[in-house]
Amino acid sequence: AAAAAAAAKEESDTSSSSAEERDDVDSPEDNDDDQDEQDLEVQFDAKEPFDEDQQGIISLLKVLFRQSNVDLAQMAQHIIAQPGVTSIIKISKEQPGQESKRDKPSSQAGQDADDDDDYSDSALGVLTPLAVAHRTKAECIGKAVEWLLAKVNDKKLKAKLKSIIDKENTGILINERFVNIPREMSVPLLTTLLEDMKRAEDEGYGFNYIIMAAKSYARRDSGTDNESDDDDDNNNNDSDNDEGDSETPGKGKQKERKRKHRGQSAGEPEEIFSNPEDELFIKAAEGSFRFMTSSDSEGDQSTRHYRTILWMPIATFRKTVSQLQELLQVSYEKFF
């Protein structure tokens, strides 16, 4: 079964967005503008991790664990060592409408490979659970747990989260990807993850609870939002930036998904989620807390960045993945 899952990941392809063109082409100059505004169709692969993916995984982990003492290199190696429950997103080497490299002269195929080296083999996303029970043999997981608990200022909330971590079989879900990876891709990836965890229950992945982290931001309206950077839902202030919110090289930006955060008053900027599915998970969560991070751009006061830590029973997680599939109307066969 594990081999079948690996084969499915190796063969999986997903497309990003359909090409769109303007119809009002009146001059060569307008035509140049049209070409700039096109969205290219791109194929993605969901693969098992390998040693060469370590640096890409570290870059993705930095977004979540910045300003922490978590050993990200060790965590990346731990993730690579659990291929049965890990998916790495990459750009497919064979794109729609392109001649297969297998059908090209070797010199041309080699040139194309050189052109693709900058990003085609890069990890653009990672989805995997970290078993809290493994913290005794993986110090990075223990440090991640300490980091999570240190972010909670509310004593009752911290006691509840600590109880879940200590007494329940809990997994910390790592779900990091570039912002313009299609949101629809989350459905088959999460569905596959649930199946992988079911097969790996004997290895410690039969979780009772899942802990997640959601990235979001809100744009301030000039002259209307004068709140201090120290004012947030958890009275927490953390120096951070959102390098992980960068876009896939040469690809179009995903449509922004917005929501009002719990407790957000009228007139405040709407919150935009890097991973749109996180909005549904937050609504379903048994508990959550939010803390604010800040941009590393000197003098940048236009955007407020947040992290929301949430947790839920595994049954709720499964139900929410099913709801997500119904909402986006994405079939398993569409991508895998």
Side-chain angles (χ1 to χ4, degrees):
K9 289 181 181 177
E10 186 67 27
E11 296 173 359
S12 63
D13 291 327
T14 65
S15 60
S16 66
S17 56
S18 59
E20 297 178 355
E21 300 183 13
R22 289 169 48 199
D23 295 329
D24 53 342
V25 180
D26 297 322
S27 67
E29 185 174 318
D30 290 336
N31 189 54
D32 291 339
D33 292 339
D34 293 339
Q35 292 176 357
D36 291 340
E37 294 180 10
Q38 290 181 4
D39 289 332
L40 300 178
E41 182 176 321
V42 179
Q43 293 275 337
F44 294 95
D45 290 336
K47 296 178 176 291
E48 291 184 353
F50 292 95
D51 287 338
E52 56 264 31
D53 297 318
Q54 180 176 6
Q55 194 55 51
I57 294 172
I58 290 174
S59 297
L60 291 162
L61 293 174
K62 282 181 179 178
V63 181
L64 178 59
F65 294 110
R66 195 177 307 280
Q67 299 294 319
S68 74
N69 60 351
V70 177
D71 187 336
L72 300 183
Q74 184 189 68
M75 182 172 287
Q77 278 299 321
H78 184 82
I79 290 171
I80 292 169
Q82 52 180 40
V85 290
T86 300
S87 291
I88 300 293
I89 302 173
K90 293 186 176 184
I91 294 176
S92 176
K93 292 182 181 296
E94 296 184 8
Q95 297 297 323
Q98 290 184 351
E99 185 180 358
S100 171
K101 292 182 175 61
R102 292 189 297 269
D103 299 331
K104 294 181 180 180
S106 58
S107 60
Q108 185 179 354
Q111 179 64 46
D112 289 346
D114 291 340
D115 293 341
D116 290 343
D117 280 347
D118 288 342
Y119 58 87
S120 64
D121 288 330
S122 299
L124 305 179
V126 57
L127 177 66
T128 191
L130 300 176
V132 172
H134 292 169
R135 57 181 164 172
T136 55
K137 59 181 180 180
E139 184 181 2
C140 59
I141 297 179
K143 293 295 184 182
V145 169
E146 292 175 6
W147 177 83
L148 285 171
L149 292 173
K151 292 297 181 183
V152 195
N153 284 342
D154 184 280
K155 292 182 179 180
K156 290 184 178 180
L157 204 60
K158 178 178 286 190
K160 175 62 177 176
L161 181 57
K162 191 174 187 305
S163 175
I164 290 173
I165 290 173
D166 291 342
K167 297 180 181 179
E168 301 288 348
N169 189 4
T170 303
I172 301 174
L173 186 67
I174 304 297
N175 184 19
E176 296 292 334
R177 65 178 185 266
F178 281 66
V179 292
N180 55 330
I181 299 294
R183 61 178 180 172
E184 288 83 1
M185 195 171 182
S186 64
V187 172
L189 288 174
L190 289 166
T191 301
T192 301
L193 175 67
L194 287 171
E195 295 172 353
D196 290 343
M197 290 192 303
K198 182 68 175 177
R199 283 190 288 265
E201 283 185 354
D202 293 341
E203 300 173 30
Y205 299 100
F207 302 121
N208 297 326
Y209 267 83
I210 289 289
I211 298 174
M212 304 173 61
K215 303 191 305 290
S216 60
Y217 65 93
R219 292 194 180 97
R220 298 179 179 181
D221 295 329
S222 179
T224 62
D225 186 7
N226 297 317
E227 292 183 58
S228 165
D229 280 349
D230 293 329
D231 181 21
D232 61 81
D233 289 0
N234 194 45
N235 295 322
N236 220 327
N237 192 15
D238 186 33
S239 176
D240 197 358
N241 64 31
D242 263 351
E243 291 179 1
D245 286 354
S246 57
E247 297 180 26
T248 310
K251 310 302 176 289
K253 192 171 184 178
Q254 276 283 307
K255 294 181 180 179
E256 295 172 341
R257 297 289 294 174
K258 304 178 181 180
R259 71 179 278 273
K260 291 287 187 181
H261 192 275
R262 293 172 184 172
Q264 184 176 351
S265 61
E268 287 188 32
E270 287 185 299
E271 206 170 340
I272 302 167
F273 284 87
S274 298
N275 292 352
E277 69 272 15
D278 287 341
E279 178 179 352
L280 200 60
F281 285 118
I282 290 175
K283 290 179 179 178
E286 180 181 279
S288 68
F289 65 91
R290 185 179 73 159
F291 57 92
M292 189 172 67
T293 66
S294 59
S295 171
D296 65 343
S297 299
E298 186 175 352
D300 179 16
Q301 299 295 321
S302 62
T303 305
R304 307 182 76 175
H305 298 274
Y306 300 96
R307 296 291 183 273
T308 301
I309 308 299
L310 59 135
W311 56 91
M312 65 185 70
I314 189 65
T316 303
F317 181 73
R318 291 180 181 277
K319 181 179 179 180
T320 307
V321 171
S322 296
Q323 291 174 343
L324 183 64
Q325 184 168 358
E326 293 175 3
L327 181 65
L328 296 180
Q329 296 183 341
V330 178
S331 67
Y332 181 90
E333 290 77 13
K334 180 176 180 179
F335 290 124
F336 287 87

